[in-house]
Amino acid sequence: MATFLYRMGRWAFRRRRLVSGLWLGVLVLAGIAAATAPAGQEEDLSMPGTESQKAFDLLDERFPQSNSQGAEARLVFQAPDGQRVTAKENRAVIEKTLGSLDGGDQVASTTDPYETGAVSKDGTIAYSTVNYTADAVDLTEPTKSALEDAASQARDAGLTVEIGGSALEAEVAPGGSTEIIGVMVAAVVLVVTLGSLVAAGLSLMTAFMGVAIAFGLVSALAVPLGLTSTVAILALMLGLAVGIDYALFITSRYRDERAQGSEPEEAAGLAVGTAGSAVVFAGATVFIALVGLGVVGVPELTKMGMGGAGAVAIAVLVALTLAPALFGFFGRRVLPRAVRKATRPGSEHLHRVPTAAGRPGLGTRWARFVLRKPVAVLMVAGLGLGAFALPTLSLELGLPGDESKPVETTQRRAYDLLSEGFGPGFNGPLTVVVDTAGAADAGATTDLVVKTVREVGGVASVGDPVLSETKDTAVLTAVPQTAPNSGETKDLVHAIRDAVSDVEADTGADILVTGTTALNIDISEAMSDALVPYLTVVIGLAVLLLTVVFRSILVPVKAALGFLLSVGAAFGVVVAVFQWGWAADLIGIEQTGPVMSLMPILIIGIVFGLAMDYEVFLLTRMREAYVHGASPGEAVVNGFRHSGRVVAAAAIIMISVFAGFIGMNSPTIQTMGVGLAAAVAFDAFVVRMAIAPAVLALLGHRAWWLPSILNRVLPNVDIEGEALSRRAPASATGQDAAVPRLPVGGS
């Protein structure tokens, strides 16, 4: 692979105008496709195979008229202190408000709270449901404005009015101030690390190119593939983070090769052949882990994995081809000032830059410190990560609703008003679907189900059943006494299912409990059940891949155990912030609760690939030194001397990018931002830079041992570019002379 990538790098350098033109063309096409494609819509989560999903599918079949429903708004009215909404003057205001919406553009119907009984027992709160003919994303601005104006008129008349439902839901769009700050931090780190504005700009340019293409493609495919805004933002987040890192690794190696005296084209080939090999492997691990999310069985999680994997694949291709092309355009300006001074005037040839004498760098000093005190470093790092991971033991999974929105949003205030007037369970009703096709007496069966559900403890009320046109299906609504995300509501769902199972056995009916709350509970439980198997698969894959790459048994095992520590610590941070509320105010989390059920598996999939990035980039230099005769300790120092600074910079960049998304007004994105930023920080700076060298110091030569049978069976991927160390710089004819070449140095 190294030889192929070496040739690719040289070709991209020579054909830089063609390569740049092709990528620019792809960018333009992706932009045009995104601009002309219809807007996607936010889809509800689904989980094929669960009871709640089966019930939804049955409802779609037996109540086809419900499929045509569009967006919904819920106008919640509260009377002034000491008054009731049933008072004559308040009732007139509410009826006038609803009348202004009746017959409006895209309005299908409005409900009268006084006719439907949508008034609280104390008479202070009422609500009306406004149904639209179009989905939320297709509602026009005049339609939304009419809804907001109607609410404003009622407020002017003295009522408190809030709007819930999906009508005013807006897609979460990137481009906020926190994301910009994250990118600015990444730019500063690049400038400090590379010592060149041009080199830093090159890394950012390639990353932005890949991200723009990926984001455009996701937007263009939103409708055909059902991709949501969360998929697009995840693609943006991952593409930006890995795109900058991959370009940084290749740029650093190119500058290193130039400093060692290689000609520009040769240096580009060697950079892509060596650092590019590690980029391919690292990108492949992220890609596989994200695509593997599809085995969990949640369509939305599958789409998020595919979107993120596509963004990573594009980032790898851009780094391997556009980066060497830009090396040709920018010439010597990519190099540090000290190296440029070594260039003869009017020539691109560089003398070999001697290693600076004096005090060793920070990476070298840290590696030597760890080698002197490996046990102490290992104990402190391990116990520290263990302490951070402790909150994971209380991890609870759920899905956020309007209760998780900031209090300044009208959706959150509408949620609170409905809870106040109708009880906390009103916002999360349960739907009981009774399929009486197999029952002898449909009416008696339905009545028995209603009676059984009403007798279950924790049920506040049960509505009258609604029958399908064929009279073979009944639907009834059960309102819990507790909030949707509470543990009591979860227990209630199971209690109702247990209670109606006896009715099923006696009558032959099929009884299913569903609704958004029940579906969220089913998805959360499925995620919990899938967590350990998925983690086992990921760990096994990590051990297998690293065994092939490093031709060692103990190094992959060490890497896998370190990955577990970093993921556990990251989960602990997520639980402490989003479930316990620690430091929640700092990032705008006003309502704590269960961690979003998709997050643990999603974080595992992403962090697995990113953890392998740092493992590969740091340990390839160690193994390269070891196979060339260095002692185990010298190999560790060599790895930190050449790659420690770049890996630290790459980690800081990735942390900054992920942290930049914490400020977005979306619980999903905020949880991903906190979890991924914490995981990268723990994995890069604690696991890879403290635990890894300490373990290698204790293992010595045993760290690089591989049984002879595996040595014969495993393929040699040559990720260190060992074959290239025997190549001489290419001649003018493009042929490579088979003469020895000095081992390359590092950045």
Side-chain angles (χ1 to χ4, degrees):
M1 181 172 66
T3 302
F4 170 77
L5 293 176
Y6 164 82
R7 292 170 180 167
M8 178 189 292
R10 295 192 58 194
W11 176 84
F13 184 93
R14 289 196 306 270
R15 306 293 186 185
R16 48 187 173 270
R17 289 182 175 81
L18 173 62
V19 172
S20 302
L22 288 175
W23 279 117
L24 185 60
V26 173
L27 175 62
V28 171
L29 291 176
I32 293 174
T36 57
Q41 62 183 27
E42 300 302 302
E43 297 183 352
D44 294 330
L45 283 174
S46 61
M47 186 75 183
T50 60
E51 176 175 327
S52 52
Q53 190 60 48
K54 291 177 182 177
F56 276 126
D57 296 339
L58 181 63
L59 289 174
D60 289 340
E61 176 187 343
R62 304 287 174 85
F63 294 83
Q65 67 275 14
S66 64
N67 295 339
S68 61
Q69 293 180 355
E72 177 186 279
R74 182 172 282 176
L75 280 168
V76 186
F77 304 92
Q78 184 181 39
D81 290 342
Q83 299 184 26
R84 295 172 178 266
V85 292
T86 53
K88 182 178 179 180
E89 62 275 14
N90 292 332
R91 180 166 182 163
V93 171
I94 293 175
E95 289 177 343
K96 181 180 178 181
T97 299
L98 298 177
S100 68
L101 294 173
D102 274 333
D105 187 29
Q106 296 183 303
V107 176
S109 64
T110 60
T111 61
D112 187 330
Y114 305 103
E115 294 181 358
T116 59
V119 179
S120 63
K121 290 182 179 180
D122 60 4
T124 60
I125 297 174
Y127 70 89
S128 171
T129 302
V130 183
N131 295 308
Y132 291 90
T133 58
D135 293 323
V137 294
D138 296 324
L139 292 182
T140 63
E141 286 304 319
T143 298
K144 296 180 180 179
S145 297
L147 177 63
E148 293 171 332
D149 291 343
S152 296
Q153 292 173 9
R155 293 189 189 106
D156 293 340
L159 297 179
T160 297
V161 186
E162 302 298 344
I163 307 172
S166 60
L168 296 184
E169 290 287 349
E171 286 191 7
V172 181
S177 58
T178 54
E179 299 98 288
I180 296 174
I181 293 173
V183 174
M184 290 176 60
V185 172
V188 171
V189 173
L190 283 171
V191 172
V192 172
T193 303
L194 298 175
S196 166
L197 286 172
V198 171
L202 185 150
S203 297
L204 289 174
M205 188 184 305
T206 57
F208 288 151
M209 174 70 79
V211 163
I213 292 172
F215 193 78
L217 291 177
V218 170
S219 300
L221 296 173
V223 171
L225 300 182
L227 305 180
T228 64
S229 60
T230 304
V231 177
I233 293 175
L234 178 61
L236 175 63
M237 184 189 299
L238 280 178
L240 191 59
V242 301
I244 295 175
D245 278 7
Y246 293 165
L248 169 63
F249 290 130
I250 292 178
T251 301
S252 298
R253 190 65 184 238
Y254 171 78
R255 286 152 48 98
D256 179 34
E257 297 296 336
R258 293 284 281 128
Q260 298 302 311
S262 296
E263 296 294 332
E265 183 179 325
E266 177 70 7
L270 290 169
V272 176
T274 52
S277 296
V279 164
V280 169
F281 174 82
T285 57
V286 182
F287 185 91
I288 293 171
L290 290 173
V291 171
L293 293 172
V295 304
V296 178
V298 180
E300 177 64 13
L301 194 61
T302 301
K303 294 172 185 176
M304 293 173 69
M306 295 298 292
V312 171
I314 292 173
V316 171
L317 291 175
V318 170
L320 295 177
T321 55
L322 186 59
L326 294 179
F327 295 157
F329 282 117
F330 288 111
R332 296 168 53 247
R333 287 175 293 174
V334 177
L335 306 175
R337 180 177 300 177
V339 179
R340 290 200 301 269
K341 288 181 179 179
T343 308
R344 293 200 302 263
S347 171
E348 279 294 313
H349 178 72
L350 296 181
H351 297 293
R352 184 181 178 91
V353 179
T355 302
R359 191 183 184 190
L362 179 61
T364 300
R365 298 199 304 274
W366 169 252
R368 289 174 178 168
F369 169 78
V370 175
L371 291 176
R372 290 195 302 270
K373 301 180 180 297
V375 175
V377 170
L378 186 60
M379 290 184 63
V380 171
L383 292 175
L385 288 180
F388 273 101
L390 283 177
T392 307
L393 298 176
S394 63
L395 174 66
E396 296 179 7
L397 300 180
L399 289 173
D402 286 345
E403 78 281 357
S404 64
K405 289 183 169 65
V407 292
E408 64 266 15
T409 63
T410 188
Q411 291 93 340
R412 168 63 186 276
R413 293 195 294 265
Y415 177 96
D416 291 340
L417 283 177
L418 290 171
S419 296
E420 177 185 342
F422 302 92
F426 182 82
N427 288 290
L430 304 175
T431 301
V432 181
V433 182
V434 185
D435 182 1
T436 57
D441 188 335
T445 299
T446 302
D447 292 340
L448 180 58
V449 172
V450 173
K451 178 183 178 182
T452 302
V453 174
R454 282 177 177 164
E455 292 175 350
V456 176
V459 175
S461 64
V462 179
D464 295 331
V466 178
L467 301 180
S468 64
E469 293 182 358
T470 56
K471 310 299 182 182
D472 60 352
T473 307
V475 177
L476 52 106
T477 301
V479 177
Q481 295 176 351
T482 50
N485 271 336
S486 68
E488 292 86 351
T489 302
K490 177 181 177 180
D491 295 337
L492 176 61
V493 170
H494 292 297
I496 293 176
R497 287 172 174 169
D498 291 340
V500 298
S501 63
D502 294 335
V503 179
E504 287 182 311
D506 295 338
T507 64
D510 191 10
I511 307 171
L512 305 170
V513 180
T514 187
T516 301
T517 299
L519 178 62
N520 291 348
I521 292 171
D522 288 346
I523 291 177
S524 299
E525 291 180 348
M527 292 296 98
S528 298
D529 294 340
L531 189 58
V532 173
Y534 181 73
L535 187 59
T536 302
V537 171
V538 166
I539 293 296
L541 181 62
V543 172
L544 177 61
L545 291 175
L546 292 178
T547 299
V548 173
V549 170
F550 295 118
R551 309 191 75 75
S552 164
I553 294 294
L554 296 180
V555 166
V557 172
K558 177 270 305 174
L561 294 177
F563 166 70
L564 283 176
L565 283 174
S566 59
V567 167
F571 285 172
V573 171
V574 169
V575 170
V577 173
F578 293 94
Q579 192 172 308
W580 294 357
W582 292 6
D585 293 340
L586 297 178
I587 60 176
I589 302 297
E590 299 173 357
Q591 179 68 40
T592 59
V595 176
M596 186 177 180
S597 56
L598 302 183
M599 285 302 105
I601 284 183
L602 187 61
I603 290 175
I604 287 173
I606 296 173
V607 173
F608 163 68
L610 302 182
M612 296 307 102
D613 281 10
Y614 304 124
E615 183 77 8
V616 169
F617 287 116
L618 197 58
L619 266 72
T620 47
R621 284 303 186 101
M622 296 182 189
R623 186 176 185 277
E624 185 178 341
Y626 182 77
V627 298
H628 283 86
S631 67
E634 292 170 345
V636 171
V637 173
N638 182 77
F640 275 87
R641 180 186 301 121
H642 291 124
S643 298
R645 177 184 175 91
V646 177
V647 168
I652 294 173
I653 289 170
M654 198 168 284
I655 293 168
S656 303
V657 172
F658 289 149
F661 288 83
I662 295 175
M664 298 189 70
N665 187 19
S666 167
T668 302
I669 303 302
Q670 287 179 315
T671 307
M672 279 197 295
V674 171
L676 293 176
V680 170
F682 290 136
D683 196 86
F685 293 108
V686 182
V687 173
R688 309 304 159 189
M689 292 195 172
I691 292 178
V695 172
L696 291 176
L698 294 174
L699 293 176
H701 290 283
R702 294 186 298 272
W704 307 104
W705 170 78
L706 182 70
S708 57
I709 185 172
L710 289 180
N711 191 40
R712 292 192 301 268
V713 172
L714 293 178
N716 185 5
V717 296
D718 188 22
I719 199 169
E720 302 93 350
E722 195 173 332
L724 299 180
S725 65
R726 298 187 296 271
R727 305 181 75 91
S731 64
T733 62
Q735 302 299 319
D736 300 311
V739 296
R741 181 182 180 275
L742 288 173
V744 295
S747 55

